[in-house]
């Protein structure tokens, strides 16, 4: 991806779920473009469609209508298997409940990304060590998630999301389980890491106080995007 | 794969119940297999010990030693067939033997076998009135130099020594000359006497392809004979096929239980892992990678169970006194049981495939919100 290619371009994307003979519109003609190093805060109440938007942008869900391009690749018509490979190679995820593999150490949690795909081996191990070092976790690399604090677990999750050198990282409510102080620390870390790497990110949140860490804030209500 | 193996190493307790159940099943499989092999060995040893390729019965006997009779003239025709290198007669009489010094419970089942061609482990047929005994009869108190009294006629037979693995139809065998056999048969089975030169069957050493020689023998005798391989003759001994069939059915049911145990256990484990699988799928894991992990874990559990089951089988073999329970340890049986258990584990774990496929990666990012 070159510097002028948007990290994400959604063009009039709709997502409709059939429910009991009726259709629920979760995303209604959403159009959104992210520059290659842009951080966007996506704010909206529960059920507004922000997770659906994230899922479509990350290749987890397919759009009912519209066009989805990530890092210049049109993934709109990708099959499930193609989307799986695409996610592994181009997208980073940080989940709301962190969701680290509980029986793996911090370092092994990063290396999971390598193990589930085409194994790179030594280069992947070097990258994991480098990321842990940059995230201030070098001394905790051999600790299990249960031996880490909430903030440290969140940093491991960020490291895992960066392992595949993604074009786009999706953060699903990364501060919802943290207190305000720790939440601000994590948002600061996210901003620094994304900007240092020139990586685009969407941060889903319903906490307006966290939006100033983003370059831009996009609101979503009933599936409709409002800037 | 590494993920699955690491989970087993770091959380062995999660797999303890499945491993314990499969270990019990493996022990049962090895025990059943050993008993089957032991029973078959005790039924067929006398035939397996023959240094021959073929066994010739009279055609009407339907491969039964007791019913078969091969008179001298038929034997001459058999010996004249091209490809028959050597032929020797055998005769079997099953009866009770009274063992000296055994008190009131002195009756032991034996099979007295008259022979011409020495089977494995035996010298030429001994003199009239004496016999070599199968070593299982040691367990019945028979000793070298004892004189057993056979059948209702109490025909005396002196024991000269012992030979291993030559039992017949579950009874310890006594190996004697054809003359001794006729003496015992005619004295104790007055309704089924045998004349001079008559045997129940012939064992034949073939110099060419045994199947071809067998066909030639039956053609040469005008189909007055039925010639079969040694293994088929052994299988035709009363009860052998039935024992094998019953035990194999029990072994089959045991393997079925192993499949159910593995299927239930890994189905539960997969349900517990739905969240984890959702996350792994979201970050790009294929369903087949996750399913391969489930199969690998099932195979490792089965291999551990098979190893413990094999160790149990070896200990059992070394600690059982000879001549008590008909148990025989065969390496081939251990390997077959282990392979069957691993296959059962693979089949059982396959029931989790649908559940793994159905895990939605969208569940990892809280689609419900």
């Amino acid at each position: 991806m070159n510097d002028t290619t948007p990290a994400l371009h959604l063009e009039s994307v709709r997502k409709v779920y059939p429910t009991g003979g009726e259709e629920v519109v979760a995303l209604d003609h959403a159009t959104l473009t992210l520059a290659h190093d842009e951080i966007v805060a996506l704010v909206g109440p529960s059920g507004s469609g922000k997770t659906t938007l994230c899922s479509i942008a990350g290749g987890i869900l397919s759009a009912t209508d519209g066009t989805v391009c990530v890092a210049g690749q049109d993934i709109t018509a990708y099959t499930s298997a193609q989307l799986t490979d695409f996610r592994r190679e181009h997208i980073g995820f940080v989940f709301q409940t962190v969701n680290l593999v509980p029986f793996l150490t911090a370092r092994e949690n990063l290396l999971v990304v390598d193990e589930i795909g085409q194994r790179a081996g030594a280069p992947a191990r070097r990258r994991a060590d480098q990321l842990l070092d940059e995230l201030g976790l070098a001394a905790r690399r051999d600790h299990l998630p249960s031996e880490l604090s909430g903030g440290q677990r969140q940093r491991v999750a960020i490291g895992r999301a960066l392992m595949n050198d993604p074009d786009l990282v999706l953060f699903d409510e990364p501060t919802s389980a943290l207190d305000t102080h720790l939440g601000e620390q994590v948002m600061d870390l996210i901003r620094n890491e994304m900007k240092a790497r020139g990586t685009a990110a969407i941060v889903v949140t319903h906490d307006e106080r966290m939006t100033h860490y983003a370059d831009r804030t996009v609101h979503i209500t009933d599936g409709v995007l409002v800037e | 794969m590494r993920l699955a193996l690491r989970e087993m190493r770091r959380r062995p307790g999660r797999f303890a119940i499945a491993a314990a159940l499969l270990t019990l099943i493996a022990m049962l499989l090895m025990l059943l297999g050993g008993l089957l092999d032991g029973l078959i060995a005790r039924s067929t040893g006398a035939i397996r010990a023959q240094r021959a390729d073929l066994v010739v019965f009279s055609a009407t006997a339907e491969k039964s030693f007791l019913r078969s009779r091969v008179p001298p003239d038929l034997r001459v025709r058999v010996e004249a067939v091209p490809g028959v290198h050597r032929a020797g007669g055998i005769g079997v009489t099953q009866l009770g033997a009274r063992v000296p010094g055994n008190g009131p419970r002195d009756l032991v089942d034996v099979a007295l076998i008259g022979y011409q061609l020495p089977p494995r482990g035996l010298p030429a047929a001994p003199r009239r009135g004496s016999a070599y005994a199968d070593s299982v009869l040691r367990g019945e108190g028979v000793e070298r130099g004892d004189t057993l009294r056979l059948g209702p006629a109490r025909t005396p037979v002196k024991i000269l020594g012992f030979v291993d693995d030559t039992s017949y139809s579950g009874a310890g065998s006594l190996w004697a000359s054809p003359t001794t056999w006729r003496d015992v048969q005619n004295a104790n089975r007055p309704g089924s006497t045998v004349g001079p030169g008559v045997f129940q069957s012939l064992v034949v050493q073939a110099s060419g392809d045994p199947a071809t020689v067998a066909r030639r023998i039956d053609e040469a005798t005008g189909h007055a004979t039925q010639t079969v391989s040694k293994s088929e003759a052994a299988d035709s001994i009363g009860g052998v096929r039935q024992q094998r069939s019953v035990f194999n059915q029990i072994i089959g049911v045991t393997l079925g239980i192993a499949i159910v145990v593995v299927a239930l256990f890994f189905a539960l484990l997969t349900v517990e892992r739905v969240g984890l699988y959702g996350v792994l799928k979201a970050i790009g894991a294929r369903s087949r990678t996750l399913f391969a992990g489930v199969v690998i874990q099932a195979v490792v559990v089965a291999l551990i169970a098979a190893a413990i089951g094999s160790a149990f089988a070896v200990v059992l073999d070394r600690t059982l006194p000879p001549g008590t329970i008909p148990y025989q340890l065969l390496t081939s049986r251990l390997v077959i049981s282990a392979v069957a258990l691993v296959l059962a584990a693979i089949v059982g774990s396959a029931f989790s495939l649908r559940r793994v496929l159905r895990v939605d990666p969208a569940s990892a990012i809280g689609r419900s919100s």
Side-chain angles (χ1 to χ4, degrees), chain A residues 47 51 55 85 87-88 103 108, chain B residues 10 281-282 284 286 365 369:
Chain A
T51 299
S55 299
D85 293 343
R87 291 197 299 273
R88 191 173 58 246
F103 51 84
E108 289 165 348
Chain B
R10 303 252 167 91
K281 280 191 175 186
R286 296 190 180 110
I365 62 169
S369 71

Side-chain angles (χ1 to χ4, degrees), chain A residues 82-206:
Chain A
Q82 286 174 315
L83 286 175
T84 299
D85 293 343
F86 179 79
R87 291 197 299 273
R88 191 173 58 246
E89 289 160 17
H90 297 280
I91 306 292
F93 286 100
V94 177
F95 306 103
Q96 187 174 352
T97 50
V98 182
N99 278 326
L100 299 176
V101 182
F103 51 84
L104 297 182
T105 64
R107 184 174 187 257
E108 289 165 348
N109 262 289
L110 266 62
L111 288 170
V112 159
V113 178
D114 184 50
E115 287 182 16
I116 61 176
Q118 304 283 339
R119 292 223 183 100
R125 289 193 289 276
R126 280 196 296 274
R127 179 161 177 79
D129 289 337
Q130 184 194 343
L131 282 168
L132 288 169
D133 194 33
E134 289 170 7
L135 291 163
L137 289 167
R140 312 290 284 173
R141 54 176 250 170
D142 294 325
H143 286 68
L144 295 171
S146 59
E147 298 165 337
L148 301 174
S149 68
Q152 286 171 333
R153 284 200 287 268
Q154 193 64 281
R155 277 188 276 165
V156 175
I158 292 169
R160 183 175 66 181
L162 295 172
M163 263 302 280
N164 58 349
D165 195 14
D167 296 310
L168 175 66
V169 182
L170 301 165
F171 293 88
D172 183 24
E173 311 240 15
T175 60
S176 65
L178 307 175
D179 60 42
T180 305
H181 178 63
L182 199 53
E184 285 175 348
Q185 278 186 356
V186 166
M187 284 305 297
D188 197 40
L189 178 71
I190 289 171
R191 181 173 176 83
N192 291 340
E193 291 298 326
M194 295 302 106
K195 290 298 176 189
R197 287 173 171 74
T199 304
I202 296 177
V203 181
V204 173
T205 182
H206 55 252

Side-chain angles (χ1 to χ4, degrees), chain A residues 52-63:
Chain A
T52 300
L53 187 143
C54 255
S55 299
I56 291 172
I60 285 179
L61 290 177
S62 294

Side-chain angles (χ1 to χ4, degrees), chain B residues 27-45 48 165 169-170 234-235 239-252 254-255 313 316 320 325-330 332-334 336-337:
Chain B
M27 289 162 79
L28 185 59
L29 278 179
M30 307 288 184
L31 178 65
L32 288 168
L35 287 174
L36 171 60
D37 293 333
L39 282 169
I40 298 298
R42 281 205 188 176
S43 290
T44 62
R48 285 186 289 105
D165 192 20
S169 195
D235 277 357
V240 169
R241 285 206 170 93
Q242 291 83 347
Q243 285 170 353
R244 191 171 280 139
S245 169
V246 168
F247 269 82
N248 282 336
Q249 284 176 47
I250 298 172
I251 288 170
T254 308
L255 284 172
L316 197 65
L320 278 177
I325 298 173
Y327 178 85
Q328 189 178 37
L329 179 71
L330 296 177
S332 57
R333 173 66 63 182
L334 296 185
I336 288 169
S337 298

Side-chain angles (χ1 to χ4, degrees), chain B residues 128-130 147-150 153-158 180 184:
Chain B
R128 192 172 191 173
S130 58
T147 296
L148 308 186
R149 297 195 175 276
L150 307 187
R154 308 274 173 114
T155 311
V157 172
K158 186 176 181 184
T180 307
V184 171

Side-chain angles (χ1 to χ4, degrees), chain B residues 268-284:
Chain B
L268 284 173
L269 216 55
T270 306
V271 168
E272 280 183 27
R273 290 170 175 164
V274 164
L276 176 62
Y277 285 166
V279 170
L280 292 174
K281 280 191 175 186
I283 65 174

Side-chain angles (χ1 to χ4, degrees), chain B:
Chain B
M1 186 191 293
R2 279 189 190 173
L3 197 64
L5 294 176
R6 273 204 195 104
E7 183 181 15
M8 298 192 85
R9 216 167 54 232
R10 303 252 167 91
R11 294 178 151 184
R14 296 195 93 189
F15 302 89
I17 292 174
L21 288 173
L22 275 191
T23 298
L24 290 174
I25 288 170
M27 289 162 79
L28 185 59
L29 278 179
M30 307 288 184
L31 178 65
L32 288 168
L35 287 174
L36 171 60
D37 293 333
L39 282 169
I40 298 298
R42 281 205 188 176
S43 290
T44 62
I47 306 304
R48 285 186 289 105
Q50 297 297 325
R51 289 190 172 111
D53 304 298
L54 300 168
V55 180
V56 183
F57 297 93
S58 56
T60 54
E62 294 178 349
K63 296 181 273 185
S64 161
F65 285 95
L66 299 183
R67 284 194 294 269
S68 179
R69 292 290 183 275
V70 179
D73 62 316
L74 204 56
R75 174 181 182 152
V76 169
R77 283 151 69 188
V78 170
E79 287 176 323
V81 170
V84 173
H85 175 58
R86 288 177 76 188
I90 59 170
V92 184
T93 304
Q94 289 177 271
L95 27 63
R98 298 207 175 269
V99 181
N102 266 14
R105 300 173 64 85
D106 63 345
L107 199 59
V108 174
D109 287 335
V110 298
L112 183 114
I113 304 172
Y115 68 96
Q116 289 184 305
L117 297 181
R120 163 181 43 80
L122 282 166
R127 66 181 183 278
R128 192 172 191 173
S130 58
Y132 296 98
D134 189 278
S135 52
V136 297
L137 290 173
R138 286 183 204 266
E140 304 288 351
V142 176
E143 293 176 7
R144 185 177 178 172
D146 281 352
T147 296
L148 308 186
R149 297 195 175 276
L150 307 187
R154 308 274 173 114
T155 311
V157 172
K158 186 176 181 184
I159 302 303
L160 301 176
F162 290 92
V163 60
D164 292 328
D165 192 20
T166 61
S167 293
Y168 177 85
S169 195
S173 55
L174 299 174
W175 294 88
S177 66
T179 310
T180 307
W181 168 64
R182 287 193 191 92
D183 290 346
V184 171
Q185 172 78 13
N186 294 343
N188 293 281
R189 300 282 184 268
S192 182
T193 56
V194 285
V198 175
F199 287 93
Q200 285 178 331
S201 61
L202 300 175
V203 290
V204 170
Q205 293 174 355
S207 56
D209 171 44
T212 307
V213 175
R215 186 170 42 77
R216 282 186 193 151
I217 290 171
D218 292 342
E219 285 170 359
T221 61
H223 295 284
T225 55
Q226 184 177 13
T227 306
V228 299
S229 66
K230 198 165 72 172
S231 60
E232 189 177 344
D235 277 357
S236 302
I237 293 171
V240 169
R241 285 206 170 93
Q242 291 83 347
Q243 285 170 353
R244 191 171 280 139
S245 169
V246 168
F247 269 82
N248 282 336
Q249 284 176 47
I250 298 172
I251 288 170
V253 170
T254 308
L255 284 172
I257 293 169
I259 290 172
V260 172
V261 166
V262 173
L264 285 175
F265 177 77
F266 280 95
L268 284 173
L269 216 55
T270 306
V271 168
E272 280 183 27
R273 290 170 175 164
V274 164
L276 176 62
Y277 285 166
V279 170
L280 292 174
K281 280 191 175 186
I283 65 174
R286 296 190 180 110
S287 291
R288 69 166 182 252
T289 305
L290 301 177
F291 177 63
V294 175
V295 174
I296 282 164
Q297 288 182 335
V299 167
V300 169
V301 169
L303 284 174
I304 291 169
I308 297 172
S310 300
F312 163 78
V314 171
V315 169
L316 197 65
D317 184 59
R318 295 202 175 155
T319 52
L320 278 177
T324 53
I325 298 173
Y327 178 85
Q328 189 178 37
L329 179 71
L330 296 177
T331 308
S332 57
R333 173 66 63 182
L334 296 185
V335 172
I336 288 169
S337 298
V339 169
L341 198 65
V342 168
L343 289 176
I346 292 171
V347 172
S349 62
F351 286 95
S352 296
L353 176 59
R354 199 168 66 97
R355 211 173 284 273
V356 173
L357 288 174
R358 282 172 57 188
V359 173
D360 186 353
S363 63
I365 62 169
R367 193 166 113 184
S368 61
S369 71

